[in-house]
Amino acid sequence: MPPPRRPAVLRGRVFRARDVLAAGLLSPSALRSSAWRRLYRGVYADAELPDDPDLRISGACLLVPAAAVFSGRTAAHLHGATELADAATPVEVSVPPGVRFGPIAGLRVRRTVLPSSDVTVAGRRPCTTGTRTALDIARTEPLVEAVAALDVLLARGVVDRAGLRRSLDAMPSPRGARRAARAVVLADPRAESLPESRVRVVLACAGLDAVPQYTVRDADGGFVARVDLAFPEYRLAVEYDGVWHGSPGQLGRDRRRLNRLTASGWRVVFVTAADLRDPDALVARVTAALGR
């Protein structure tokens, strides 16, 4: 079977099907070949381009009305918080209530009035400001995921806690304002991973307030380890055990680190992704460890 025909003018490009068909660059059957990736209804891309949020955003730009701006996790990605979205995350756009648009598979369309002060440009795309982006996520997403996202936005300098609180106070009590306020209180820029943030929030919601990224020192003040979460008065650390811990050589480093912690009188509770799927059991484990 001959390889799919890939006109040079379309290589590395995102395009609308109707445009290339009208120009005679591709036939309908050629458009369905493996050379092209369908992003949305009527929008395609060179299949050799990486399938990532930037590609999906480029495709969305060929569909959305002029009044639309990117919002939510898509805006967070444009502001530099790239870990908050992947190719499977729907591209989110906000459009004024009177604009007819959607629904379109792969896009999340929100209808809302955005004052000009809440709109900016990031990555050459119109999007909500960092503060509006953070508060939209905090208002609309489950608390654990919202706080994890705020942790990233704070750590990247996209927003600051004081600015979030001022904006919250100025908001006219929109839907989800109470949830957003709770998320802002729980957010912490010291977190270094999304799973770590999730563990911290699960524990905090149960009344167990752990210190993120705590430095453990020995009796002489020497460095022992930096742990994900700590209850210093109990000498208890809570560590998220991610996939990277299985990388070559990591097991030995982890064991030596654990030995140093143990020698300094600390105990460690290890948490995995499976534990996060059963938060009640996770809280019970940590509570029991604190009781000991």
Side-chain angles (χ1 to χ4, degrees), residues 163-217:
L164 285 177
R165 287 174 174 165
R166 285 195 300 270
S167 296
L168 266 176
D169 293 340
M171 290 174 72
S173 300
R175 184 177 181 181
R178 184 175 298 179
R179 178 190 298 174
R182 175 68 168 150
V184 170
V185 168
L186 289 173
D188 195 312
R190 291 174 291 179
E192 292 193 349
S193 73
L194 291 172
E196 175 197 320
S197 295
R198 293 175 184 125
V199 173
R200 189 188 81 248
V201 178
V202 167
L203 296 178
C205 288
L208 305 176
D209 295 320
V211 180
Q213 294 303 314
Y214 182 82
T215 298
V216 177
R217 298 189 179 276

Side-chain angles (χ1 to χ4, degrees), residues 242-255:
V243 175
W244 69 275
H245 284 278
S247 59
Q250 188 61 44
L251 178 61
R253 290 190 290 271
D254 285 346
R255 289 293 180 264

Side-chain angles (χ1 to χ4, degrees), residues 6-178:
R6 301 175 68 249
V9 70
L10 295 180
R11 291 179 182 174
R13 300 290 300 275
V14 179
F15 53 87
R16 292 184 299 184
R18 69 187 188 193
D19 295 336
V20 300
L21 293 174
L25 294 172
L26 293 174
S27 66
S29 60
L31 188 60
R32 292 191 294 270
S33 77
S34 60
W36 317 110
R37 175 181 288 113
R38 184 178 184 271
L39 301 178
Y40 309 104
R41 184 178 67 239
V43 176
Y44 291 78
D46 183 345
E48 293 188 353
L49 291 171
D51 190 8
D52 58 20
D54 291 311
L55 182 70
R56 300 278 166 171
I57 292 169
S58 295
C61 287
L62 299 178
L63 290 174
V64 300
V69 300
F70 293 105
S71 55
R73 286 181 177 256
T74 304
H77 173 85
L78 291 170
H79 282 292
T82 54
E83 57 266 71
L84 296 185
D86 56 27
T89 306
V91 170
E92 180 176 318
V93 294
S94 290
V95 298
V99 175
R100 296 182 62 184
F101 178 65
I104 294 176
L107 293 182
R108 177 178 290 126
V109 181
R110 296 195 184 277
R111 303 194 181 278
T112 185
V113 176
L114 284 173
S116 59
S117 59
D118 283 351
V119 178
T120 187
V121 174
R124 297 183 297 177
R125 310 293 191 192
C127 63
T128 49
T129 62
T131 298
R132 177 61 189 254
T133 298
L135 293 181
D136 282 349
I137 290 173
R139 287 190 305 108
T140 59
E141 296 196 12
L143 183 64
V144 171
E145 294 303 318
V147 175
L150 292 187
D151 285 356
V152 174
L153 293 169
L154 287 167
R156 297 288 177 277
V158 177
V159 293
D160 63 83
R161 197 193 304 272
L164 285 177
R165 287 174 174 165
R166 285 195 300 270
S167 296
L168 266 176
D169 293 340
M171 290 174 72
S173 300
R175 184 177 181 181
R178 184 175 298 179

